[in-house]
Structure formats: C-alpha cells, structure tokens
Amino acid sequence: HDFDLKKGLEAVHTAIDLGINLIDVSPYYGFYKAEENLGIALKEIDRSKYYLSTKVGRYGEDGKKEWDYSGHKAIESVHESMDRLNVDFIDLINVHDIEFANKDQVINETLPALWDLVDSGIVGNVGITGLPVPLLKEITVEAGDGMIETVLNFCHYCLNDDALTDDIDFYKSKEIGIINAWPLSMGLLSERGAPEWHPASKEIKD
C-alpha cells in the first residue's frame, strides 16, 4: 500500500497536540515499518508527553508472517524496537496476540523474559493482547498475581459486542488495566464501513 510519510508524521503530532497520550504499535504492524516511521515522529516529541506501548511475538518480512514467543527473541525484539522507535524506555511491553502462542511458553518463558527487562530498567510494565476474551483471563489467572499488568482486547467493548464487560470486575479486582482497542469494531461502526476482510457476518454488517 502507498503510504504518505509526511501525513503519517503529521497525524502523530496532531494526536499528541490534541491530548492523546498512549501510542500503541508493534513490530508486526507494516512488518517493522510502523515502528520505523513512528520513530521518525518521536524524535521531535517530548518523551514526557506520551506513553509508548509495543509488542513481542508477532513479526514478518517480505509479506511473510512469523511468530516467535521465545524468551530470547522477546528480549532481542524489545531492543530492536527501541532502536526503530528512537527511545531508550518502553512504558508497556505486550505479548502480542496470545491466541497464536503456546500458553505454557507465554507463562513460563515470554513473560519472565519481559520481567527481566523491567528489572533492567528499560521497560515499565508488562501486558498481553489478544482477540479471545476468555483466553486473556485464563492466562492472567494461570500466570499468577503480578505477572500481567494490562490486557488489550479488541472489538469486544463496542456498540455491537460487549463481551469484555463480563470480565471488567475481575481485572479491577486484580488492579489490571484494560485497553479497549478497535472501539469501532475494525471499521464496522465507522462511516467508512467494514473492509472486505472483516469477519462479521453479512447480517451484522447490514
């Protein structure tokens, strides 16, 4: 896809100027390009004006998707992300799309590796992301208290689907932050409408 870098950089500056203070990205987005382009914008923005969230586990290059949830790759990935983003501290590091990972590896390898980075002072907080609402809770419980500080879920706290609502009290009781992504249900609730690849049924789209 064509990408207008100038407009992209302007969008980041405009968002910060209008008070948006959480920037969420991933090595997987644009196969590293999202972090690289965001890093250009962040060079010119006061670090105190935003919280930065990125991820480990999902990658890709030349159009080929890759998954690697090993502890070694997680640590390597964070350092590579910081280089692309032109920062020396990441506020929130997430295990990306846990439904593609081996649950035991996430709990016993990926999360402990990320906590090592917290201990070393280059990461602030550790979270997980994914689409299936029950799986986020399941891994949170099995990982144990204090291992997961935020959960990011998408398309399940919006006008047509509020499945995430059932677990809000649970996360509050654990003092775990909830990040609600895609509140417009991946374009379904926007004036633009759902893209062709959207998984919703024709009935829901209509």
Side-chain angles (χ1 to χ4, degrees), residues 6 8 15 45 54 67 71 79 83 88 95 99 104 114 116 126 162 174 182 187 191:
K6 184 171 182 289
I45 298 174
T54 192
W67 292 264
H79 287 283
D83 287 343
D88 56 14
V95 184
E99 61 267 34
D104 290 336
L114 297 180
D116 285 345
V126 174
D162 65 354
K174 299 289 186 183
W182 282 111
E191 291 184 359

Side-chain angles (χ1 to χ4, degrees), residues 25-32 35 54-55 58-59 77 81 84:
V25 69
S26 164
Y28 179 67
Y29 300 160
F31 295 156
Y32 307 111
E35 286 190 335
T54 192
K55 307 178 182 74
R58 292 200 73 175
Y59 311 97
S77 178
S81 286
R84 286 189 289 267

Side-chain angles (χ1 to χ4, degrees), residues 13-74:
H13 282 275
T14 300
I16 297 295
D17 290 345
L18 293 176
I20 289 174
N21 67 354
L22 171 63
I23 302 173
D24 180 70
V25 69
S26 164
Y28 179 67
Y29 300 160
F31 295 156
Y32 307 111
K33 285 294 182 185
E35 286 190 335
E36 289 172 4
N37 292 330
L38 179 58
I40 297 169
L42 295 183
K43 279 183 181 179
E44 304 169 350
I45 298 174
D46 186 329
R47 187 64 180 84
S48 67
K49 288 189 174 181
Y50 61 88
Y51 297 99
L52 182 60
S53 163
T54 192
K55 307 178 182 74
V56 302
R58 292 200 73 175
Y59 311 97
E61 207 158 8
D62 298 327
K64 295 179 181 176
K65 299 177 182 180
E66 298 174 12
W67 292 264
D68 187 341
Y69 293 90
S70 66
H72 169 77
K73 179 61 178 178

Side-chain angles (χ1 to χ4, degrees), residues 22-163:
L22 171 63
I23 302 173
D24 180 70
V25 69
S26 164
Y28 179 67
Y29 300 160
F31 295 156
Y32 307 111
K33 285 294 182 185
E35 286 190 335
E36 289 172 4
N37 292 330
L38 179 58
I40 297 169
L42 295 183
K43 279 183 181 179
E44 304 169 350
I45 298 174
D46 186 329
R47 187 64 180 84
S48 67
K49 288 189 174 181
Y50 61 88
Y51 297 99
L52 182 60
S53 163
T54 192
K55 307 178 182 74
V56 302
R58 292 200 73 175
Y59 311 97
E61 207 158 8
D62 298 327
K64 295 179 181 176
K65 299 177 182 180
E66 298 174 12
W67 292 264
D68 187 341
Y69 293 90
S70 66
H72 169 77
K73 179 61 178 178
I75 291 172
E76 179 184 84
S77 178
V78 169
H79 287 283
E80 291 174 352
S81 286
M82 288 195 298
D83 287 343
R84 286 189 289 267
L85 291 162
N86 292 305
V87 297
D88 56 14
F89 181 78
I90 292 172
D91 298 281
L92 173 62
I93 191 70
N94 300 279
V95 184
H96 196 176
D97 286 350
I98 52 173
E99 61 267 34
F100 292 98
N102 176 284
K103 184 173 64 173
D104 290 336
Q105 185 179 37
V106 169
I107 293 169
N108 299 314
E109 189 176 342
T110 324
L111 289 170
L114 297 180
W115 276 104
D116 285 345
L117 295 177
V118 174
D119 292 340
S120 69
I122 63 173
V123 165
N125 302 93
V126 174
I128 56 176
T129 84
L131 179 62
V133 174
L135 183 59
L136 290 168
K137 184 177 179 181
E138 185 179 324
I139 288 185
T140 299
V141 170
E142 293 186 23
D145 289 350
M147 288 298 288
I148 293 168
E149 297 175 303
T150 66
V151 294
L152 182 153
N153 183 249
F154 47 103
C155 301
H156 290 123
Y157 192 74
C158 51
L159 288 174
N160 65 301
D161 188 329
D162 65 354

Side-chain angles (χ1 to χ4, degrees), residues 168-182:
I168 289 177
D169 287 345
F170 166 77
Y171 291 120
K172 279 186 174 182
S173 74
K174 299 289 186 183
E175 297 187 338
I176 292 171
I178 302 170
I179 300 172
N180 180 39
W182 282 111

